[in-house]
Amino acid sequence: MSLAAEAFVSQMAAAEPWPENATLYQPLKDDQILLSDHASSLAVQAYLRMCGLPVQVVCRANAEYMSPSGKIPFIHVGNQVVSELGPIVQFTKAKGHTLSDSLDDVQRAEMKAYMELVYNMLLTAELYVQWCDDATAAEISRPRYSSPYSWPLGKILAYQKQLEVRRKMNAIGWGGKSLEQVYEDVSQCCQALSQRLGTQPYFFNKQATELDALVFGHLFTILTTRLTSTELAERVKSYSNLLSFCRRIEQTYFEDKGS
């Protein structure tokens, strides 16, 4: 998209107030959605709740194929469809809703660096465990991913997805890693997040930002998702302030407000 087109889209988005019927789409919650997509969806839901923007969560078996980027989740707001947290943050900012305007340039750069850390380490680790660990892929990922579809289509789609992710892992240098090395990467990421958070309620003291939404989405989902091993969750549980952080956001933004 050209800069002029992007500017036009931003102007169109800003011209319309946030509607009451905004919708977030994700795969089927009980039978289909996988850890990484659930984490990404929860991060967007947390962000929108922090902004005070209502959104209805709708589960669709073909959500991945409905998304303009092929990524989960995506939101439908008025006549706009936007996928993934980063573009959604920019979309809401164009409408005058932002969480990070109070940050200075140094803090904003730091926030972006930690968000990249979460994407590069936690999200990548989630994808690795789902599709590169043979036990998890066979017992959880392929059955759940294929569940909405009849045989043999479901089986074909699941193996295609597994091949796609494994190719990505090879391309970024994760293909040769052992499961233990991936767990250690998660520990190092959690340690960095824990040190940055310290005793503050949020990563930038008393003000929640999109970083808080992103970290919550991934850590909370890791802690609450059943896998073939509990090791991924155990690595997160080693950091008590991250556990308190997850509980704080759950209580503040999700309890008694629907899920």
Side-chain angles (χ1 to χ4, degrees):
M1 185 182 292
S2 67
L3 291 177
E6 287 181 358
F8 178 73
V9 169
S10 295
Q11 291 170 0
M12 289 288 290
E16 297 291 334
W18 190 269
E20 288 296 319
N21 64 345
T23 308
L24 179 148
Y25 288 90
Q26 66 176 33
L28 303 179
K29 188 172 182 180
D30 293 333
D31 304 316
Q32 181 191 21
I33 197 167
L34 298 178
L35 170 62
S36 58
D37 284 343
H38 199 176
S40 298
S41 179
L42 187 60
V44 170
Q45 292 175 57
Y47 171 75
L48 293 175
R49 288 179 185 231
M50 289 171 179
C51 290
L53 299 174
V55 67
Q56 178 187 2
V57 179
V58 174
C59 298
R60 291 283 186 270
N62 62 338
E64 180 182 353
Y65 301 101
M66 294 169 63
S67 170
S69 68
K71 300 289 181 65
I72 300 298
F74 69 93
I75 58 171
H76 184 196
V77 180
N79 62 350
Q80 302 288 318
V81 178
V82 189
S83 61
E84 302 180 84
L85 179 61
I88 289 170
V89 168
Q90 293 304 312
F91 179 76
T92 62
K93 186 176 181 179
K95 287 183 173 294
H97 302 280
T98 178
L99 298 177
S100 54
D101 263 5
S102 63
L103 302 184
D104 60 32
D105 289 343
V106 173
Q107 290 174 320
R108 195 169 288 113
E110 186 181 9
M111 179 187 72
K112 289 180 178 179
Y114 277 97
M115 291 182 74
E116 283 300 309
L117 178 69
V118 173
Y119 288 127
N120 292 337
M121 301 294 276
L122 286 186
L123 177 58
T124 307
E126 291 161 4
L127 289 167
Y128 180 99
V129 171
Q130 283 170 190
W131 295 110
C132 298
D133 175 51
D134 290 336
T136 305
E139 296 177 34
I140 295 176
S141 303
R142 289 200 302 267
R144 286 184 66 85
Y145 190 86
S146 64
S147 64
Y149 308 103
S150 60
W151 188 92
L153 176 60
K155 188 172 184 178
I156 292 170
L157 291 175
Y159 274 104
Q160 283 181 343
K161 185 67 175 182
Q162 184 172 9
L163 183 60
E164 172 193 325
V165 173
R166 289 189 172 188
R167 282 175 174 164
K168 178 183 177 180
M169 292 297 140
N170 286 330
I172 63 174
W174 279 55
K177 287 193 178 189
S178 67
L179 197 55
E180 180 57 35
Q181 288 174 315
V182 171
Y183 289 145
E184 188 56 34
D185 286 341
V186 170
S187 291
Q188 291 179 10
C189 179
C190 288
Q191 182 177 14
L193 293 171
S194 176
Q195 289 175 346
R196 179 62 184 84
L197 180 64
T199 59
Q200 302 175 120
Y202 302 107
F203 283 96
F204 291 92
N205 200 10
K206 297 179 181 179
Q207 174 65 45
T209 66
E210 49 264 40
L211 172 61
D212 297 280
L214 179 65
V215 173
F216 169 75
H218 285 274
L219 295 187
F220 187 86
T221 306
I222 287 172
L223 290 166
T224 56
T225 299
R226 183 186 68 84
L227 297 171
T228 55
S229 166
T230 61
E231 186 62 27
L232 197 60
E234 292 300 324
R235 297 301 176 115
V236 177
K237 289 177 182 178
S238 298
Y239 300 92
S240 59
N241 64 335
L242 295 182
L243 295 179
S244 299
F245 166 82
C246 288
R247 185 65 182 141
R248 184 180 307 115
I249 291 185
E250 182 189 24
Q251 289 177 327
T252 304
Y253 296 103
F254 287 88
E255 289 191 349
D256 301 321
K257 298 178 183 179
S259 57

